[in-house]
Amino acid sequence: MIKKLFRFILKCLFWLLLLLIVAVIAVYYYLGTIVKEGINRYVPPITGTTASVQDVDLSLLKGQIEIKNLQIGNPKGFSSNDIFKLGNIKVLFEPKSVLSDKIIIRSVAISGTQVSAEMKNLYSLDSNVSALQANINSYLGTEKKTEEKKAPAQKAEAPKSDGKKVIIKDLKINNTALSLGVSGQTVTI
C-alpha cells in the first residue's frame, strides 16, 4: 500500500515537472507574442485611444529586446492621428547582468519616432498629452486620489535604498520628429 502511494506521488511529481518544463519552454518561445497581444489588447482601454504594435521580439537569454511599429493614437478632439509612433527600438543587454547590481546595456537603437503635442487653442491648457494622462488616470482610478493629495500631509522619510544601476554603453536615435500644434496648425521639428 505504501509502495503504491509512493509510486503514485513520484508519477505525479514527474508529470508536474514535465508540465513545468513545457510551460517554461512555451513562455520562452512565445513571450514576444504574449507581450504583443497584451499591448494590442490592453493598452487601448487604458489610454482611451487606439494602440497597436506590429512585432515584439524578446530573447531574454540572448539579451535582446526589439519592438517594431508601436503606435498610440491621439485622444478624441485632436487633429493628428497618433500622439506617439515608434518605428523600431532594439535593446541589446548582457543577460547575466540582470541578476547583478549593475545592468549593462550594450546598445539601444531607436529609429522612426514621431511625437505629436497639440493644444486645442492658444487660450486653453487642454493638450493631447494632458487628455491622454487624464484617460490613463481615469482608467486607473487615480483622479480622485490626486485631488485628495492636495491637502498638506506629513510624509515619512523612506529609507534610502541602493537600487540597481543601469549602464548604457551605446545610444543611437535616428529619424525622429516632434510635431507641435495649436488649433490645427502644426510645425514639425
Side-chain angles (χ1 to χ4, degrees):
M1 179 75 166
I2 292 177
K3 286 182 180 181
K4 286 183 180 182
L5 181 60
F6 185 70
R7 281 187 194 156
F8 176 74
I9 291 172
L10 281 177
K11 284 181 183 180
C12 287
L13 288 175
F14 170 77
W15 287 108
L16 283 173
L17 182 62
L18 186 63
L19 183 62
L20 180 65
I21 291 170
V22 169
V24 167
I25 291 170
V27 167
Y28 175 75
Y29 282 108
Y30 294 105
L31 187 58
T33 303
I34 293 168
V35 171
K36 173 187 168 186
E37 293 303 318
I39 290 170
N40 289 334
R41 183 177 199 172
Y42 296 110
V43 172
I46 293 170
T47 61
T49 66
T50 59
S52 65
V53 65
Q54 180 184 345
D55 191 34
V56 176
D57 178 23
L58 296 173
S59 300
L60 300 178
L61 295 178
K62 292 178 185 175
Q64 180 176 318
I65 300 170
E66 188 170 12
I67 299 173
K68 294 179 182 175
N69 296 325
L70 173 66
Q71 295 180 323
I72 306 293
N74 230 346
K76 291 181 181 174
F78 295 93
S79 61
S80 65
N81 289 334
D82 298 313
I83 190 170
F84 179 77
K85 285 184 183 179
L86 173 68
N88 189 45
I89 182 169
K90 188 173 187 176
V91 179
L92 301 174
F93 62 94
E94 294 182 16
K96 292 179 184 177
S97 71
V98 175
L99 302 175
S100 71
D101 293 339
K102 210 183 287 186
I103 299 173
I104 299 172
I105 298 175
R106 286 183 269 137
S107 75
V108 177
I110 302 169
S111 66
T113 304
Q114 296 177 357
V115 178
S116 172
E118 295 181 51
M119 293 180 67
K120 287 191 177 182
N121 60 56
L122 285 172
Y123 308 106
S124 169
L125 294 177
D126 292 335
S127 71
N128 61 343
V129 176
S130 62
L132 181 67
Q133 185 64 54
N135 290 349
I136 294 168
N137 288 345
S138 175
Y139 180 85
L140 297 175
T142 57
E143 283 180 307
K144 294 179 183 176
K145 291 179 185 177
T146 55
E147 291 174 11
E148 293 169 3
K149 287 184 181 179
K150 289 182 182 177
Q154 293 180 351
K155 291 184 178 180
E157 282 191 37
K160 252 188 172 177
S161 66
D162 293 335
K164 289 188 176 220
K165 294 179 181 167
V166 177
I167 297 173
I168 301 174
K169 292 185 174 182
D170 186 31
L171 174 64
K172 294 177 185 171
I173 302 173
N174 297 313
N175 193 20
T176 299
L178 171 63
S179 296
L180 303 172
V182 177
S183 302
Q185 300 296 317
T186 304
V187 174
T188 300
I189 301 172

